Amino acid sequence: MLLAIVQFALWSHATHIAQAAASQGLAVARSQNGTAAAGTSSAQQLLDQLASGPLTGPAVTSDRTAASASVRVSGTATSVVPFLSLPVHAEAVGPVERFVPDLASG
């Protein structure tokens, strides 16, 4: 029972790290001059700093269109219970920032 509690805590922590990395990557990707590659790089940097323990095999994918951007992080939570592999997924999606001129004030 104790190992199951520790395993859940590790999975929960890995999920929070993945979500933080996805959010960080989205902030970069959706900026006015951002790119999908910059979002991926930013998310990967955060994962390199935080996820060396609870999240194994993290993979980052990002996409940016004219209207929206998204960053997805997936991996596996570190296992303390033998033969148990818990997947971790996180996704952040948002509109792309863009300048819209005020045409009404002429």
Side-chain angles (χ1 to χ4, degrees):
M1 185 66 145
L2 181 61
L3 284 177
I5 292 170
V6 171
Q7 183 66 67
F8 175 75
L10 278 172
W11 174 81
S12 180
H13 186 53
T15 300
H16 286 121
I17 288 173
Q19 188 61 51
S23 296
Q24 175 69 26
L26 178 65
V28 172
R30 72 184 289 252
S31 65
Q32 186 170 354
N33 296 319
T35 63
T40 299
S41 176
S42 178
Q44 190 62 53
Q45 267 185 336
L46 188 65
L47 286 172
D48 291 342
Q49 293 172 1
L50 299 178
S52 61
L55 184 61
T56 59
V60 180
T61 58
S62 61
D63 185 38
R64 180 185 158 112
T65 64
S68 68
S70 65
V71 177
R72 287 170 291 300
V73 177
S74 60
T76 305
T78 299
S79 180
V80 293
V81 177
F83 309 111
L84 180 63
S85 176
L86 296 176
V88 173
H89 301 285
E91 182 173 12
V93 179
V96 171
E97 295 176 356
R98 58 190 171 99
F99 175 72
V100 180
D102 184 14
L103 300 175
S105 65

